[in-house]
Amino acid sequence: MDAMFFLGACTCRGFVSHYDSLFSEVKNLTVIKGGSGCGKSTFMRAIGQAAQKKGLDVTYFLCSSDPDSLDGVLLPQLSVAYVDGTAPHVLEPLL
């Protein structure tokens, strides 16, 4: 089963993010950084599709400014997520 959500949105109070809630659900988080159009969303979409073919549940996080792009993909059964770490949703690896 797959699901789609927005983890962030532009509101009258500015950009609101719920990315922090993702950290409590995953044990292995991969932050993907790269320029616009380099293939981050395509890569994450391919990961999700491969996981679905294996019978895993997949949650896709849509970009609030471009719903055709992905901000992330979560594989809850594996406790694994891949997220876009470029602006405006800058995420830095935790050391």
Side-chain angles (χ1 to χ4, degrees), residues 40-50 60 67-70 73:
K40 297 179 299 289
S41 286
T42 301
F43 178 61
M44 290 186 286
R45 198 174 312 280
I47 291 169
Q49 290 170 347
Y60 295 94
D68 290 331
S69 293
L70 291 178
V73 63

Side-chain angles (χ1 to χ4, degrees), residues 24-85:
S24 65
E25 295 187 30
V26 299
K27 293 181 181 167
N28 188 347
L29 176 70
T30 300
V31 178
I32 303 168
K33 292 189 173 238
S36 179
C38 74
K40 297 179 299 289
S41 286
T42 301
F43 178 61
M44 290 186 286
R45 198 174 312 280
I47 291 169
Q49 290 170 347
Q52 285 179 293
K53 285 182 184 177
K54 298 277 187 184
L56 296 172
D57 294 335
V58 178
T59 302
Y60 295 94
F61 300 111
L62 306 175
C63 177
S64 61
S65 61
D66 178 10
D68 290 331
S69 293
L70 291 178
D71 280 350
V73 63
L74 170 66
L75 310 176
Q77 291 144 313
L78 301 178
S79 190
V80 170
Y82 298 84
V83 296
D84 183 342

